[in-house]
Amino acid sequence: MRSVALACLEDMKAEETVEIDLFGKTSIADAMIITSGRSQRHVGSIADKVIQEFKSRGFGAPRVEGMPACDWVLIDAGDILVHIFRPEVRHFYNLEKIWGADRPADQTAHRLAN
């Protein structure tokens, strides 16, 4: 599923794609992919492509939020979350900082391990 999503994002020319490993950090998903589209139309087109590929590959229909406005579309496919943002909206929410490796809990765990 992860490789299908990443291939779709590359095909659709999504920008600044980041993958965050969530395994063991939360029960909501094992991985989160965050990417940007250049406009609302681009965000919607990227989301449509990912959704259609998931369906055609037999992964079922993911839950989708945000398609009407296309400022930020969330595709929840169970084990993987795909967030597609317009750049301004992505900068505002800054999910990479919230879920990324520089989270305070991760730094504490890293210091304890050393």
Side-chain angles (χ1 to χ4, degrees), residues 7-111:
C8 288
L9 298 177
E10 185 176 332
D11 287 348
M12 295 299 294
K13 309 246 186 286
E15 300 174 348
E16 299 181 36
T17 301
V18 175
E19 184 178 0
I20 299 172
D21 181 15
L22 298 178
F23 188 78
K25 294 180 183 179
T26 181
S27 61
I28 62 171
D30 291 337
M32 178 184 300
I33 298 173
I34 303 169
T35 195
S36 295
R38 294 180 300 279
S39 65
Q40 289 171 315
R41 178 171 279 179
H42 191 213
V43 168
S45 295
I46 294 168
D48 281 337
K49 174 76 171 176
V50 172
I51 294 162
Q52 292 308 314
E53 280 297 312
F54 282 170
K55 287 179 183 177
S56 71
R57 303 274 181 125
F59 296 123
R63 292 181 299 271
V64 180
E65 297 289 332
M67 281 300 277
C70 290
D71 285 329
W72 172 11
V73 176
L74 165 63
I75 301 170
D76 181 351
D79 291 338
I80 189 168
L81 300 172
V82 181
H83 295 274
I84 309 164
F85 289 96
R86 281 189 314 106
E88 312 79 58
V89 179
R90 181 177 180 172
H91 178 74
F92 178 79
Y93 286 102
N94 202 3
L95 292 183
E96 291 94 331
K97 184 174 182 182
I98 295 170
W99 289 101
D102 60 345
R103 290 176 38 207
D106 291 343
Q107 290 175 355
T108 303
H110 178 71
R111 281 192 299 259

